[in-house]
Amino acid sequence: MGKLAVLSLAVVALAVLIGERLITLRHLSLSYRELTQNYLPNCHHIEGIEYGAEDITILENGLAFLSTGLKYPGLPSYSDDPGKIYTLNLLDSELKIKALNIKGDFVKDSFNPHGISVYTDDKDGAVYLFAVNHPQGNSQVEIFRFVEDENVLLYIKTIRHELLHNVNDIVAVGTESFYATNDHYFTNGILKFVEPFLSLPWCDVVYYSPQTVQVVAGGFLIANGINISPDKRHLYVADLLKHKIVVLEIQKNTVLSRVKEVDVGSLCDNIEVDRESGDLWLGCHPNGLKCIFHDPNDPPGSEVIRIENILSEKPRVTQVYSDDGSVIIASSVATQYGGKLLTGTVYQKALICDLKL
């Protein structure tokens, strides 16, 4: 009876733990949330984007880069073709995408791009594109040089490191240096599920340069998007399951110190920063469970959030656009240029709208 009683108590305790964890996970994923549609004028899909534009970034001249075709464990994928990087000239009224041709000793067949970042070298004006790549489920960073006249990405190098084990997003700060987020601590598929299930805040930010590689910030539940302020003094990191944007100050030794956290009330993915105003533009998942299960009869919605004056005592957080999935599914990035809002998704389409600023 003694052993049976102990076993029974253990089973009850386990059931209580699992029940509590499931309730917590539903809360963290905002599974209860339903959206009220908040549309912008003159919205239309970008022709040719059918399998996601997970990340988007824009040069000062209005040329946008789109990372497409991501295949990510646990999320839907509707194409077996390799991923691609497209450009879109936002100053061209036709708004036609162009696929960039990759030249050099690069394996195109397994290209699986995730987060991207561009860096313009002050010395010669050269533009470098950094892309997180997951060939065969691995994590590495590719560096290319962009040749606009030829519509080409010249392959420069691949960066692999044991600290870059689950890279989600990246922000370039030099021709071969960057900050990157790891969205999981473990690489094993089952243990990756255990992390959010137990709310383990073990995700981190890594700094990489040819001279040093180190973890410079930690304590994130799921560290997704990352970007840098126009003055290069602060980093912004999206802590997905905490529904927060974390502000970090860059120290002289590249280590980061936490300044503040801003509640956004949504599961925000990638972060784009307005070069002039410093405003943050966020592509967000309003309901995380819908995003994972992707029921065609109840698709995941999309939400775009803007943060103004993030370094002030009272940042302004505004919902700019929201949709219940009838127009655009699973938004992951949003950015604005010239009065236009460009929104990308993990595995569906991309949308462009007029902004009401």
Side-chain angles (χ1 to χ4, degrees):
M1 288 294 293
K3 292 183 179 180
L4 182 59
V6 170
L7 179 60
S8 298
L9 287 174
V11 170
V12 170
L14 180 61
V16 170
L17 173 63
I18 293 174
E20 185 273 333
R21 288 287 88 201
L22 288 175
I23 292 172
T24 299
L25 193 58
R26 288 179 63 86
H27 174 75
L28 293 175
S29 65
L30 301 179
S31 63
Y32 56 85
R33 191 168 178 226
E34 297 293 339
L35 276 184
T36 300
Q37 292 176 334
N38 177 20
Y39 287 162
L40 291 169
N42 301 321
C43 291
H44 64 272
H45 293 121
I46 300 297
E47 185 178 351
I49 301 296
E50 300 293 337
Y51 306 115
E54 199 279 337
D55 202 6
I56 301 170
T57 193
I58 305 176
L59 294 177
E60 290 186 29
N61 64 4
L63 188 68
F65 294 84
L66 295 83
S67 169
T68 72
L70 174 66
K71 299 161 189 66
Y72 194 79
L75 294 176
S77 176
Y78 299 104
S79 173
D80 294 328
D81 294 336
K84 295 180 180 179
I85 305 293
Y86 289 95
T87 59
L88 175 67
N89 186 351
L90 295 174
L91 297 179
D92 185 348
S93 59
E94 293 186 357
L95 293 174
K96 297 291 185 180
I97 60 171
K98 293 181 180 179
L100 290 173
N101 183 26
I102 298 176
K103 291 187 176 181
D105 188 19
F106 180 74
V107 182
K108 301 178 187 178
D109 291 343
S110 60
F111 190 35
N112 187 14
H114 200 165
I116 57 174
S117 179
V118 292
Y119 179 81
T120 302
D121 192 347
D122 292 335
K123 296 179 181 178
D124 57 8
V127 176
Y128 295 85
L129 184 133
F130 291 61
V132 178
N133 186 18
H134 301 296
Q136 291 84 43
N138 298 314
S139 278
Q140 57 197 49
V141 175
E142 316 292 355
I143 303 180
F144 306 94
R145 181 167 176 169
F146 174 55
V147 183
E148 186 170 4
D149 293 342
E150 301 177 23
N151 201 48
V152 159
L153 290 175
L154 293 177
Y155 171 68
I156 296 176
K157 66 187 300 184
T158 295
I159 295 172
R160 303 181 185 91
H161 193 276
E162 60 182 7
L163 293 181
L164 300 169
H165 48 81
N166 282 299
V167 183
N168 183 297
D169 197 17
I170 186 172
V171 58
V173 293
T175 58
E176 293 187 28
S177 57
F178 56 84
Y179 291 92
T181 56
N182 283 309
D183 59 19
H184 288 84
Y185 177 81
F186 296 108
T187 56
N188 176 274
I190 295 176
L191 293 179
K192 280 185 176 183
F193 170 77
V194 170
E195 280 184 63
F197 184 75
L198 295 180
S199 301
L200 301 176
W202 292 354
C203 297
D204 54 29
V205 175
V206 175
Y207 173 75
Y208 176 92
S209 75
Q211 294 76 35
T212 182
V213 187
Q214 59 181 327
V215 174
V216 290
F220 302 93
L221 276 183
I222 292 185
N224 268 37
I226 186 170
N227 217 316
I228 196 166
S229 62
D231 63 7
K232 314 301 182 187
R233 294 175 55 190
H234 294 90
L235 285 179
Y236 308 121
V237 178
D239 198 338
L240 187 85
L241 288 181
K242 287 186 178 179
H243 322 140
K244 296 177 184 292
I245 300 300
V246 180
V247 180
L248 303 160
E249 185 175 9
I250 301 174
Q251 307 296 317
K252 291 183 180 180
N253 59 359
T254 70
V255 173
L256 308 175
S257 62
R258 289 200 178 214
V259 176
K260 65 192 303 184
E261 298 178 352
V262 179
D263 291 315
V264 289
S266 191
L267 285 77
C268 292
D269 201 329
N270 289 301
I271 303 169
E272 288 299 305
V273 179
D274 188 295
R275 291 182 180 87
E276 296 182 2
S277 66
D279 294 350
L280 276 62
W281 292 83
L282 315 171
C284 307
H285 307 291
N287 185 316
L289 284 189
K290 286 187 179 183
C291 188
I292 292 174
F293 292 122
H294 187 62
D295 179 357
N297 297 316
D298 187 20
S302 294
E303 186 171 29
V304 174
I305 291 175
R306 177 188 186 186
I307 305 179
E308 301 170 80
N309 303 315
I310 190 169
L311 297 176
S312 68
E313 291 185 4
K314 295 183 178 180
R316 185 184 180 199
V317 180
T318 308
Q319 183 196 74
V320 178
Y321 176 90
S322 64
D323 172 61
D324 62 3
S326 59
V327 175
I328 186 170
I329 292 173
S331 57
S332 56
V333 63
T335 185
Q336 71 86 29
Y337 187 91
K340 299 285 187 181
L341 178 69
L342 184 58
T343 305
T345 67
V346 180
Y347 47 78
Q348 197 224 14
K349 300 178 181 293
L351 190 72
I352 190 164
C353 305
D354 289 344
L355 269 174
K356 297 182 291 187
L357 294 177

